[in-house]
Amino acid sequence: MSEPNARPIGPPTKHQLALMIWLCVFPTLTLINLTLADWLRPMSPVLRTFVLATVAVPIVIYGLMPQLHKARVRVLGARRSSRRRTDP
């Protein structure tokens, strides 16, 4: 349960957002590359990049980033509440 004076967790800083995006994009692109390697191999680099981006962006934006935002709020909220308990 939240405390009455508890401030909501604000949006991520630029650095937090950059890290969150990297944490979503790198594994997604790696997995797609490994999964579709045989199908992507004959494509030109531009077409391959287009296919990867077309598949990866919705996965990252609609699937992974919302989960990572929720995790960030849970972690920061837990850190905030543990600080309150240790403060005199």
mmCIF file of all heavy atoms in Angstrom, residues 24-59:
data_model
loop_
_atom_site.group_PDB
_atom_site.id
_atom_site.type_symbol
_atom_site.label_atom_id
_atom_site.label_comp_id
_atom_site.label_asym_id
_atom_site.label_seq_id
_atom_site.Cartn_x
_atom_site.Cartn_y
_atom_site.Cartn_z
ATOM 1 N N CYS A 24 16.567 -3.708 -24.105
ATOM 2 C CA CYS A 24 15.511 -4.322 -24.919
ATOM 3 C C CYS A 24 15.974 -4.597 -26.350
ATOM 4 O O CYS A 24 15.698 -5.661 -26.896
ATOM 5 C CB CYS A 24 14.277 -3.415 -24.966
ATOM 6 S SG CYS A 24 13.401 -3.279 -23.419
ATOM 7 N N VAL A 25 16.657 -3.638 -26.949
ATOM 8 C CA VAL A 25 17.000 -3.730 -28.373
ATOM 9 C C VAL A 25 18.075 -4.779 -28.642
ATOM 10 O O VAL A 25 17.930 -5.589 -29.564
ATOM 11 C CB VAL A 25 17.421 -2.347 -28.923
ATOM 12 C CG1 VAL A 25 18.018 -2.456 -30.306
ATOM 13 C CG2 VAL A 25 16.219 -1.410 -28.937
ATOM 14 N N PHE A 26 19.148 -4.773 -27.875
ATOM 15 C CA PHE A 26 20.247 -5.699 -28.166
ATOM 16 C C PHE A 26 19.812 -7.164 -28.143
ATOM 17 O O PHE A 26 20.035 -7.892 -29.113
ATOM 18 C CB PHE A 26 21.429 -5.453 -27.222
ATOM 19 C CG PHE A 26 22.554 -6.420 -27.436
ATOM 20 C CD1 PHE A 26 23.378 -6.301 -28.539
ATOM 21 C CD2 PHE A 26 22.761 -7.469 -26.555
ATOM 22 C CE1 PHE A 26 24.412 -7.218 -28.759
ATOM 23 C CE2 PHE A 26 23.784 -8.372 -26.763
ATOM 24 C CZ PHE A 26 24.606 -8.252 -27.865
ATOM 25 N N PRO A 27 19.167 -7.628 -27.052
ATOM 26 C CA PRO A 27 18.769 -9.043 -27.061
ATOM 27 C C PRO A 27 17.723 -9.356 -28.136
ATOM 28 O O PRO A 27 17.737 -10.445 -28.722
ATOM 29 C CB PRO A 27 18.187 -9.281 -25.669
ATOM 30 C CG PRO A 27 18.507 -8.095 -24.864
ATOM 31 C CD PRO A 27 18.895 -7.001 -25.767
ATOM 32 N N THR A 28 16.822 -8.402 -28.395
ATOM 33 C CA THR A 28 15.794 -8.636 -29.411
ATOM 34 C C THR A 28 16.428 -8.795 -30.782
ATOM 35 O O THR A 28 16.112 -9.743 -31.516
ATOM 36 C CB THR A 28 14.777 -7.472 -29.429
ATOM 37 O OG1 THR A 28 14.185 -7.364 -28.126
ATOM 38 C CG2 THR A 28 13.698 -7.698 -30.464
ATOM 39 N N LEU A 29 17.323 -7.884 -31.140
ATOM 40 C CA LEU A 29 17.987 -7.988 -32.445
ATOM 41 C C LEU A 29 18.843 -9.246 -32.533
ATOM 42 O O LEU A 29 18.884 -9.902 -33.583
ATOM 43 C CB LEU A 29 18.841 -6.750 -32.713
ATOM 44 C CG LEU A 29 18.069 -5.471 -33.016
ATOM 45 C CD1 LEU A 29 19.030 -4.292 -33.165
ATOM 46 C CD2 LEU A 29 17.216 -5.627 -34.271
ATOM 47 N N THR A 30 19.520 -9.591 -31.445
ATOM 48 C CA THR A 30 20.339 -10.797 -31.453
ATOM 49 C C THR A 30 19.475 -12.038 -31.679
ATOM 50 O O THR A 30 19.801 -12.887 -32.520
ATOM 51 C CB THR A 30 21.110 -10.922 -30.121
ATOM 52 O OG1 THR A 30 21.912 -9.757 -29.954
ATOM 53 C CG2 THR A 30 21.976 -12.163 -30.100
ATOM 54 N N LEU A 31 18.369 -12.128 -30.954
ATOM 55 C CA LEU A 31 17.478 -13.284 -31.087
ATOM 56 C C LEU A 31 16.869 -13.370 -32.491
ATOM 57 O O LEU A 31 16.827 -14.447 -33.093
ATOM 58 C CB LEU A 31 16.373 -13.213 -30.034
ATOM 59 C CG LEU A 31 15.456 -14.410 -29.949
ATOM 60 C CD1 LEU A 31 16.238 -15.660 -29.561
ATOM 61 C CD2 LEU A 31 14.354 -14.150 -28.936
ATOM 62 N N ILE A 32 16.434 -12.234 -33.016
ATOM 63 C CA ILE A 32 15.862 -12.238 -34.368
ATOM 64 C C ILE A 32 16.920 -12.630 -35.394
ATOM 65 O O ILE A 32 16.660 -13.416 -36.307
ATOM 66 C CB ILE A 32 15.246 -10.863 -34.715
ATOM 67 C CG1 ILE A 32 14.039 -10.579 -33.814
ATOM 68 C CG2 ILE A 32 14.813 -10.811 -36.177
ATOM 69 C CD1 ILE A 32 13.541 -9.146 -33.896
ATOM 70 N N ASN A 33 18.126 -12.078 -35.247
ATOM 71 C CA ASN A 33 19.214 -12.432 -36.163
ATOM 72 C C ASN A 33 19.508 -13.919 -36.132
ATOM 73 O O ASN A 33 19.701 -14.549 -37.177
ATOM 74 C CB ASN A 33 20.481 -11.657 -35.803
ATOM 75 C CG ASN A 33 20.722 -10.493 -36.710
ATOM 76 O OD1 ASN A 33 20.543 -10.588 -37.912
ATOM 77 N ND2 ASN A 33 21.117 -9.385 -36.133
ATOM 78 N N LEU A 34 19.575 -14.489 -34.938
ATOM 79 C CA LEU A 34 19.874 -15.920 -34.827
ATOM 80 C C LEU A 34 18.725 -16.780 -35.355
ATOM 81 O O LEU A 34 18.952 -17.803 -35.996
ATOM 82 C CB LEU A 34 20.172 -16.284 -33.370
ATOM 83 C CG LEU A 34 21.452 -15.690 -32.797
ATOM 84 C CD1 LEU A 34 21.554 -15.962 -31.298
ATOM 85 C CD2 LEU A 34 22.677 -16.215 -33.526
ATOM 86 N N THR A 35 17.506 -16.349 -35.077
ATOM 87 C CA THR A 35 16.335 -17.117 -35.496
ATOM 88 C C THR A 35 16.130 -17.076 -37.007
ATOM 89 O O THR A 35 15.801 -18.098 -37.623
ATOM 90 C CB THR A 35 15.065 -16.570 -34.797
ATOM 91 O OG1 THR A 35 15.270 -16.619 -33.384
ATOM 92 C CG2 THR A 35 13.839 -17.367 -35.160
ATOM 93 N N LEU A 36 16.328 -15.918 -37.601
ATOM 94 C CA LEU A 36 16.054 -15.743 -39.032
ATOM 95 C C LEU A 36 17.316 -15.702 -39.888
ATOM 96 O O LEU A 36 17.266 -15.263 -41.041
ATOM 97 C CB LEU A 36 15.249 -14.451 -39.255
ATOM 98 C CG LEU A 36 13.917 -14.326 -38.518
ATOM 99 C CD1 LEU A 36 13.283 -12.977 -38.797
ATOM 100 C CD2 LEU A 36 12.987 -15.459 -38.894
ATOM 101 N N ALA A 37 18.429 -16.164 -39.355
ATOM 102 C CA ALA A 37 19.719 -16.046 -40.044
ATOM 103 C C ALA A 37 19.690 -16.616 -41.463
ATOM 104 O O ALA A 37 20.143 -15.962 -42.414
ATOM 105 C CB ALA A 37 20.817 -16.717 -39.234
ATOM 106 N N ASP A 38 19.170 -17.813 -41.621
ATOM 107 C CA ASP A 38 19.158 -18.430 -42.958
ATOM 108 C C ASP A 38 18.279 -17.647 -43.928
ATOM 109 O O ASP A 38 18.605 -17.516 -45.106
ATOM 110 C CB ASP A 38 18.672 -19.880 -42.882
ATOM 111 C CG ASP A 38 19.656 -20.776 -42.157
ATOM 112 O OD1 ASP A 38 20.856 -20.432 -42.125
ATOM 113 O OD2 ASP A 38 19.223 -21.806 -41.605
ATOM 114 N N TRP A 39 17.179 -17.137 -43.450
ATOM 115 C CA TRP A 39 16.259 -16.380 -44.297
ATOM 116 C C TRP A 39 16.818 -14.987 -44.626
ATOM 117 O O TRP A 39 16.637 -14.490 -45.729
ATOM 118 C CB TRP A 39 14.913 -16.253 -43.570
ATOM 119 C CG TRP A 39 13.829 -15.653 -44.391
ATOM 120 C CD1 TRP A 39 13.185 -16.215 -45.444
ATOM 121 C CD2 TRP A 39 13.263 -14.356 -44.224
ATOM 122 N NE1 TRP A 39 12.243 -15.350 -45.942
ATOM 123 C CE2 TRP A 39 12.271 -14.202 -45.201
ATOM 124 C CE3 TRP A 39 13.499 -13.315 -43.325
ATOM 125 C CZ2 TRP A 39 11.516 -13.037 -45.321
ATOM 126 C CZ3 TRP A 39 12.733 -12.167 -43.447
ATOM 127 C CH2 TRP A 39 11.768 -12.036 -44.434
ATOM 128 N N LEU A 40 17.553 -14.377 -43.679
ATOM 129 C CA LEU A 40 18.097 -13.029 -43.874
ATOM 130 C C LEU A 40 19.382 -13.012 -44.706
ATOM 131 O O LEU A 40 19.688 -12.010 -45.354
ATOM 132 C CB LEU A 40 18.387 -12.379 -42.517
ATOM 133 C CG LEU A 40 17.196 -12.033 -41.641
ATOM 134 C CD1 LEU A 40 17.671 -11.620 -40.258
ATOM 135 C CD2 LEU A 40 16.362 -10.938 -42.261
ATOM 136 N N ARG A 41 20.125 -14.106 -44.685
ATOM 137 C CA ARG A 41 21.457 -14.144 -45.302
ATOM 138 C C ARG A 41 21.504 -13.650 -46.750
ATOM 139 O O ARG A 41 22.363 -12.845 -47.098
ATOM 140 C CB ARG A 41 22.045 -15.554 -45.192
ATOM 141 C CG ARG A 41 23.526 -15.613 -45.515
ATOM 142 C CD ARG A 41 24.137 -16.958 -45.154
ATOM 143 N NE ARG A 41 24.205 -17.099 -43.693
ATOM 144 C CZ ARG A 41 23.518 -17.991 -42.990
ATOM 145 N NH1 ARG A 41 22.706 -18.844 -43.587
ATOM 146 N NH2 ARG A 41 23.628 -18.058 -41.679
ATOM 147 N N PRO A 42 20.591 -14.078 -47.628
ATOM 148 C CA PRO A 42 20.705 -13.633 -49.024
ATOM 149 C C PRO A 42 20.281 -12.178 -49.258
ATOM 150 O O PRO A 42 20.501 -11.649 -50.346
ATOM 151 C CB PRO A 42 19.773 -14.584 -49.779
ATOM 152 C CG PRO A 42 18.866 -15.183 -48.776
ATOM 153 C CD PRO A 42 19.562 -15.108 -47.462
ATOM 154 N N MET A 43 19.717 -11.526 -48.265
ATOM 155 C CA MET A 43 19.230 -10.154 -48.448
ATOM 156 C C MET A 43 20.367 -9.155 -48.435
ATOM 157 O O MET A 43 21.410 -9.380 -47.817
ATOM 158 C CB MET A 43 18.241 -9.786 -47.336
ATOM 159 C CG MET A 43 16.969 -10.552 -47.358
ATOM 160 S SD MET A 43 15.927 -9.974 -46.003
ATOM 161 C CE MET A 43 14.606 -11.170 -46.113
ATOM 162 N N SER A 44 20.137 -8.031 -49.088
ATOM 163 C CA SER A 44 21.101 -6.935 -49.024
ATOM 164 C C SER A 44 21.091 -6.366 -47.605
ATOM 165 O O SER A 44 20.106 -6.525 -46.878
ATOM 166 C CB SER A 44 20.719 -5.841 -50.017
ATOM 167 O OG SER A 44 19.544 -5.170 -49.573
ATOM 168 N N PRO A 45 22.169 -5.725 -47.191
ATOM 169 C CA PRO A 45 22.216 -5.165 -45.831
ATOM 170 C C PRO A 45 21.066 -4.191 -45.536
ATOM 171 O O PRO A 45 20.529 -4.194 -44.435
ATOM 172 C CB PRO A 45 23.566 -4.448 -45.778
ATOM 173 C CG PRO A 45 24.399 -5.149 -46.790
ATOM 174 C CD PRO A 45 23.453 -5.568 -47.886
ATOM 175 N N VAL A 46 20.667 -3.399 -46.511
ATOM 176 C CA VAL A 46 19.582 -2.438 -46.288
ATOM 177 C C VAL A 46 18.259 -3.165 -46.079
ATOM 178 O O VAL A 46 17.505 -2.851 -45.141
ATOM 179 C CB VAL A 46 19.484 -1.432 -47.464
ATOM 180 C CG1 VAL A 46 18.256 -0.564 -47.340
ATOM 181 C CG2 VAL A 46 20.750 -0.587 -47.542
ATOM 182 N N LEU A 47 17.960 -4.156 -46.906
ATOM 183 C CA LEU A 47 16.726 -4.913 -46.761
ATOM 184 C C LEU A 47 16.729 -5.704 -45.447
ATOM 185 O O LEU A 47 15.722 -5.753 -44.731
ATOM 186 C CB LEU A 47 16.519 -5.847 -47.954
ATOM 187 C CG LEU A 47 15.225 -6.662 -47.944
ATOM 188 C CD1 LEU A 47 14.012 -5.744 -47.870
ATOM 189 C CD2 LEU A 47 15.155 -7.553 -49.177
ATOM 190 N N ARG A 48 17.862 -6.289 -45.110
ATOM 191 C CA ARG A 48 17.988 -7.031 -43.845
ATOM 192 C C ARG A 48 17.724 -6.109 -42.654
ATOM 193 O O ARG A 48 16.995 -6.462 -41.735
ATOM 194 C CB ARG A 48 19.391 -7.631 -43.751
ATOM 195 C CG ARG A 48 19.578 -8.588 -42.625
ATOM 196 C CD ARG A 48 20.931 -9.260 -42.668
ATOM 197 N NE ARG A 48 21.478 -9.278 -44.013
ATOM 198 C CZ ARG A 48 22.758 -9.185 -44.322
ATOM 199 N NH1 ARG A 48 23.665 -9.087 -43.388
ATOM 200 N NH2 ARG A 48 23.162 -9.203 -45.575
ATOM 201 N N THR A 49 18.305 -4.919 -42.688
ATOM 202 C CA THR A 49 18.089 -3.949 -41.618
ATOM 203 C C THR A 49 16.622 -3.541 -41.536
ATOM 204 O O THR A 49 16.055 -3.418 -40.448
ATOM 205 C CB THR A 49 18.984 -2.713 -41.835
ATOM 206 O OG1 THR A 49 20.346 -3.135 -41.891
ATOM 207 C CG2 THR A 49 18.804 -1.694 -40.717
ATOM 208 N N PHE A 50 15.997 -3.348 -42.700
ATOM 209 C CA PHE A 50 14.574 -2.996 -42.742
ATOM 210 C C PHE A 50 13.731 -4.096 -42.094
ATOM 211 O O PHE A 50 12.849 -3.818 -41.276
ATOM 212 C CB PHE A 50 14.126 -2.760 -44.191
ATOM 213 C CG PHE A 50 12.653 -2.506 -44.312
ATOM 214 C CD1 PHE A 50 12.120 -1.271 -44.005
ATOM 215 C CD2 PHE A 50 11.794 -3.516 -44.723
ATOM 216 C CE1 PHE A 50 10.759 -1.043 -44.107
ATOM 217 C CE2 PHE A 50 10.439 -3.305 -44.833
ATOM 218 C CZ PHE A 50 9.912 -2.054 -44.521
ATOM 219 N N VAL A 51 13.999 -5.344 -42.435
ATOM 220 C CA VAL A 51 13.242 -6.464 -41.873
ATOM 221 C C VAL A 51 13.465 -6.541 -40.355
ATOM 222 O O VAL A 51 12.504 -6.684 -39.582
ATOM 223 C CB VAL A 51 13.626 -7.800 -42.552
ATOM 224 C CG1 VAL A 51 13.053 -8.993 -41.798
ATOM 225 C CG2 VAL A 51 13.163 -7.808 -44.004
ATOM 226 N N LEU A 52 14.717 -6.432 -39.929
ATOM 227 C CA LEU A 52 15.019 -6.492 -38.501
ATOM 228 C C LEU A 52 14.313 -5.377 -37.732
ATOM 229 O O LEU A 52 13.716 -5.612 -36.679
ATOM 230 C CB LEU A 52 16.528 -6.420 -38.266
ATOM 231 C CG LEU A 52 17.325 -7.650 -38.660
ATOM 232 C CD1 LEU A 52 18.814 -7.369 -38.580
ATOM 233 C CD2 LEU A 52 16.954 -8.827 -37.777
ATOM 234 N N ALA A 53 14.378 -4.159 -38.252
ATOM 235 C CA ALA A 53 13.734 -3.032 -37.579
ATOM 236 C C ALA A 53 12.222 -3.193 -37.559
ATOM 237 O O ALA A 53 11.568 -2.894 -36.551
ATOM 238 C CB ALA A 53 14.120 -1.722 -38.260
ATOM 239 N N THR A 54 11.651 -3.683 -38.651
ATOM 240 C CA THR A 54 10.206 -3.862 -38.740
ATOM 241 C C THR A 54 9.711 -4.903 -37.738
ATOM 242 O O THR A 54 8.626 -4.757 -37.173
ATOM 243 C CB THR A 54 9.815 -4.267 -40.177
ATOM 244 O OG1 THR A 54 10.257 -3.228 -41.067
ATOM 245 C CG2 THR A 54 8.329 -4.442 -40.327
ATOM 246 N N VAL A 55 10.494 -5.919 -37.490
ATOM 247 C CA VAL A 55 10.117 -6.947 -36.521
ATOM 248 C C VAL A 55 10.452 -6.496 -35.097
ATOM 249 O O VAL A 55 9.647 -6.666 -34.172
ATOM 250 C CB VAL A 55 10.818 -8.286 -36.850
ATOM 251 C CG1 VAL A 55 10.573 -9.317 -35.767
ATOM 252 C CG2 VAL A 55 10.351 -8.804 -38.206
ATOM 253 N N ALA A 56 11.615 -5.894 -34.905
ATOM 254 C CA ALA A 56 12.101 -5.580 -33.559
ATOM 255 C C ALA A 56 11.377 -4.405 -32.901
ATOM 256 O O ALA A 56 11.092 -4.460 -31.701
ATOM 257 C CB ALA A 56 13.601 -5.298 -33.594
ATOM 258 N N VAL A 57 11.084 -3.371 -33.660
ATOM 259 C CA VAL A 57 10.506 -2.166 -33.047
ATOM 260 C C VAL A 57 9.183 -2.452 -32.331
ATOM 261 O O VAL A 57 9.013 -2.064 -31.169
ATOM 262 C CB VAL A 57 10.390 -1.010 -34.070
ATOM 263 C CG1 VAL A 57 9.531 0.121 -33.537
ATOM 264 C CG2 VAL A 57 11.785 -0.503 -34.434
ATOM 265 N N PRO A 58 8.221 -3.127 -32.953
ATOM 266 C CA PRO A 58 6.983 -3.411 -32.201
ATOM 267 C C PRO A 58 7.209 -4.302 -30.980
ATOM 268 O O PRO A 58 6.573 -4.107 -29.941
ATOM 269 C CB PRO A 58 6.091 -4.123 -33.223
ATOM 270 C CG PRO A 58 6.651 -3.787 -34.549
ATOM 271 C CD PRO A 58 8.108 -3.543 -34.345
ATOM 272 N N ILE A 59 8.116 -5.264 -31.096
ATOM 273 C CA ILE A 59 8.417 -6.129 -29.946
ATOM 274 C C ILE A 59 8.947 -5.289 -28.791
ATOM 275 O O ILE A 59 8.515 -5.430 -27.642
ATOM 276 C CB ILE A 59 9.430 -7.229 -30.337
ATOM 277 C CG1 ILE A 59 8.781 -8.219 -31.300
ATOM 278 C CG2 ILE A 59 9.979 -7.942 -29.096
ATOM 279 C CD1 ILE A 59 9.763 -9.195 -31.940
#
